[in-house]
Amino acid sequence: MKEKNQRLEALRLIISSQQLGSQEELLTALQKEGFKLTQATLSRDLKQLKVAKAATMGGSYVYVLPNETMYKRVSTPSSVREMMMIPGFVSIQFSGNICVIKTRPGYASAIAWNIDRSNIPQILGTIAGDDNIFVVIREGSSHKDVTEALGKVVPNLK
């Protein structure tokens, strides 16, 4: 199961960092990262991830992750192995009783779910997009206390 999870994560990262339009291209990209799989397995993985094809500005069709028809692709992607070593958390900023957490594309809902399930007393709730989380902070809670509490839930939050 661990290998499948790693393969699915690699597939997410490949799709989010490259414009690939065929399963053959995806298989080649996965093989370059050390994954050995068949076209049938790739098809099942794409279905599980709810991957779709969307038109590019140039008129070709490429694979995109759910809700990403206008997906923000990175211009100089790292290797998939490097990206897999980086956690989903990117940054945190505060404004009054609102906290904005930036994540890697596709990570916001999972991190927000973890925050909500942790029942942190300083946090009233979250709203997640694809790569941003809005956190509503309870009145009277300090940003330092919120950051410390989130640090127990969100890996690499500083």
Side-chain angles (χ1 to χ4, degrees):
M1 193 61 151
K2 183 178 179 184
E3 182 176 331
K4 180 179 180 181
N5 289 338
Q6 288 177 337
R7 187 179 69 241
L8 291 174
E9 177 66 8
L11 187 55
R12 280 186 201 98
L13 293 169
I14 288 168
I15 290 170
S16 69
S17 65
Q18 301 176 41
Q19 291 192 354
L20 302 175
S22 71
Q23 287 191 7
E24 184 176 315
E25 291 174 321
L26 285 173
L27 278 172
T28 301
L30 284 165
Q31 287 170 351
K32 284 181 184 176
E33 297 300 329
F35 294 96
K36 305 274 188 259
L37 65 153
T38 64
Q39 184 274 328
T41 299
L42 177 60
S43 289
R44 287 189 293 273
D45 289 351
L46 292 173
K47 184 175 182 177
Q48 181 177 342
L49 294 175
K50 295 179 174 60
V51 171
K53 276 194 165 181
T56 65
M57 296 301 279
S60 62
Y61 285 85
V62 296
Y63 288 103
V64 294
L65 295 167
N67 300 322
E68 298 173 10
T69 54
M70 298 303 288
Y71 199 78
K72 296 175 262 176
R73 295 186 185 277
V74 292
S75 56
T76 54
S78 305
S79 76
V80 171
R81 292 234 186 264
E82 289 172 325
M83 288 190 283
M84 287 177 73
M85 300 306 290
I86 302 168
F89 170 79
V90 174
S91 68
I92 185 169
Q93 292 185 328
F94 294 90
S95 178
N97 73 326
I98 300 283
C99 168
V100 177
I101 298 174
K102 303 248 185 215
T103 71
R104 288 177 36 210
Y107 280 74
S109 62
I111 292 173
W113 186 86
N114 285 336
I115 293 168
D116 289 337
R117 296 303 170 270
S118 296
N119 295 315
I120 298 170
Q122 298 93 337
I123 294 176
L124 295 175
T126 64
I127 299 172
D130 181 55
D131 59 0
N132 281 290
I133 305 167
F134 289 99
V135 181
V136 179
I137 301 168
R138 187 176 307 279
E139 277 189 55
S141 298
S142 74
H143 296 169
K144 181 181 180 218
D145 288 345
V146 172
T147 302
E148 286 176 9
L150 286 171
K152 296 174 183 167
V153 178
V154 181
N156 288 12
L157 187 135
K158 296 174 178 144

